[in-house]
Amino acid sequence: MNAAIRAVVRAAIGRGVEVVGFNHGYQGIIDNESRILESYMVGGIIDRGGTILRTARSKEFMTFDGRKKAIESLAVNECEGLVVIGGDGSLTGALKLHEEFEFAVMGVPGSIDNDISGTDFSIGFDTAVNTAIQAIDRVRDTAYSHERVFVIEVMGRHNGFIALEAGLAGGAEAVLLPEVPYSLLEISNGLRMAAEKGKRSSIIVVAEGAARAGDIKDFIHKNTGFEARAVVLGHMQRGGSPTAFDRVLALRLGALAANRIISGYRGEMVGVDGNKLVSHPLSYVLSAERNIDPDRMILAEVMAQ
Ligand code: F6P
């Protein structure tokens, strides 16, 4: 998100527009935690994960009165538009400001889950996947040497985009996603058959929304007798220095968001389609569901044979 903030600030300043940054997301707007963001203030942050503006969940913003307070605070700060970087919840908030108060908003997709429609990639996904495969590669060394089954749990409460990508890139023997039904009995049988052919170690990647790694590990151990371990990657996937892909994505999307809102476009979210920059109405983005690519799922199964 820092790379996106840097891009918004510098693209806007390049067009002669002043940028105000609010700390702590919508709650910070309500509480007027604002400061002018000069170009130098966003220097040296492109390689830092997270956000220099901090973030927060705001219950108050979920109420109409809270949103009215936010609009008043934006007016006090002479803000004519708002760029919101975030996932589903943040973008829904932006749409509400647009619909209820006709405020000029522009969304930038930021979510490691990559579950936002209207863009092929959300900021943070590539970094999270790369962190996950680094962990999988390291765990595989023990899996191989000690001839064990490892169940690695990655983030994704409602979807399996990280799990599928990390499973493919990490060469997992099975990938479990909340969107796709699976049978632990079949997986256990598969592991047993693979062992009979000489495969003595396996990696199973599971999205947290599909099951807990510990439960799967217990089931597999009970059904196969194989030694098994569970690893939960958790929040380490949400931090760390962003990949080059994520940095450039954030720069392109942040600059596009600033340029479009300055040019008079409103109520949209910027994104990428292939290598092309696009922008769609927030109302469309938030009503369309982003689905797992079935070809990738088939590929994961074929590769696991
Ligand atoms: O929405 C992104 C996400 O990383 C999910 O994949 C994960 O379940 C959740 O956030 C974790 O949220 P929290 O940090 O509030 O526990």
Side-chain angles (χ1 to χ4, degrees):
M1 281 189 276
N2 281 326
I5 293 168
R6 177 176 178 268
V8 170
V9 170
R10 292 195 173 165
I13 290 173
R15 299 265 308 253
V17 172
E18 198 168 58
V19 180
V20 176
F22 288 91
N23 275 0
H24 298 120
Y26 290 124
Q27 191 57 47
I29 301 180
I30 292 171
D31 298 338
N32 196 16
E33 289 188 62
S34 66
R35 60 184 146 139
I36 303 285
L37 290 178
E38 312 271 9
S39 184
Y40 78 89
M41 292 177 179
V42 292
I45 62 169
I46 196 166
D47 58 338
R48 282 173 57 188
T51 158
I52 55 163
L53 292 175
R54 319 287 175 98
T55 188
R57 298 196 202 282
S58 171
K59 283 217 172 91
E60 200 177 352
F61 188 79
M62 289 184 188
T63 66
F64 180 80
D65 285 349
R67 292 194 287 278
K68 200 157 158 270
K69 273 195 210 162
I71 288 291
E72 284 157 12
S73 167
L74 288 163
V76 167
N77 286 282
E78 296 177 5
C79 292
E80 292 170 67
L82 179 68
V83 175
V84 174
I85 309 166
D88 202 47
S90 310
L91 297 172
T92 302
L95 181 60
K96 282 210 180 303
L97 291 184
H98 181 61
E99 287 178 347
E100 292 171 350
F101 304 95
E102 288 179 20
F103 199 77
V105 297
M106 190 60 63
V108 177
S111 166
I112 63 163
D113 291 344
N114 209 30
D115 57 347
I116 305 167
S117 293
T119 185
D120 290 345
F121 293 103
S122 300
I123 300 166
F125 173 67
D126 188 66
T127 304
V129 169
N130 276 284
T131 303
I133 61 164
Q134 277 174 23
I136 292 170
D137 291 348
R138 282 162 197 262
V139 166
R140 195 178 277 288
D141 291 344
T142 301
Y144 177 85
S145 308
H146 289 256
E147 301 188 332
R148 287 177 186 164
V149 176
F150 269 87
V151 184
I152 303 182
E153 183 181 310
V154 298
M155 273 187 164
R157 209 177 277 165
H158 305 294
N159 62 69
F161 292 101
I162 296 179
L164 183 52
E165 215 66 4
L168 280 169
E173 275 66 36
V175 183
L176 311 186
L177 321 177
E179 299 93 328
V180 183
Y182 57 85
S183 153
L184 285 183
L185 211 53
E186 268 175 35
I187 290 171
S188 300
N189 290 341
L191 294 178
R192 217 181 289 114
M193 274 154 58
E196 278 161 20
K197 287 189 210 151
K199 190 169 202 176
R200 311 216 158 272
S201 65
S202 296
I203 300 280
I204 296 172
V205 176
V206 56
E208 63 179 327
R212 303 322 301 226
D215 297 340
I216 298 179
K217 172 210 59 144
D218 291 342
F219 186 97
I220 287 172
H221 177 67
K222 246 195 228 141
N223 272 270
T224 62
F226 296 154
E227 207 178 331
R229 296 281 189 276
V231 177
V232 179
L233 299 186
H235 287 80
M236 75 168 66
Q237 294 156 95
R238 263 216 192 151
S241 190
T243 58
F245 179 91
D246 259 336
R247 294 181 198 195
V248 175
L249 176 72
L251 293 180
R252 293 175 79 202
L253 295 183
L256 179 66
N259 280 318
R260 278 187 86 76
I261 202 162
I262 291 167
S263 298
Y265 294 94
R266 271 108 186 75
E268 297 179 350
M269 185 197 80
V270 294
V272 280
D273 180 357
N275 200 25
K276 253 188 18 239
L277 290 171
V278 291
S279 196
H280 297 293
L282 272 168
S283 50
Y284 157 73
V285 162
L286 290 165
S287 59
E289 209 173 301
R290 195 173 143 79
N291 296 318
I292 287 287
D293 172 9
D295 290 344
R296 275 178 152 74
M297 198 61 208
I298 293 168
L299 187 62
E301 280 161 22
V302 172
M303 290 300 126
Q305 287 178 103

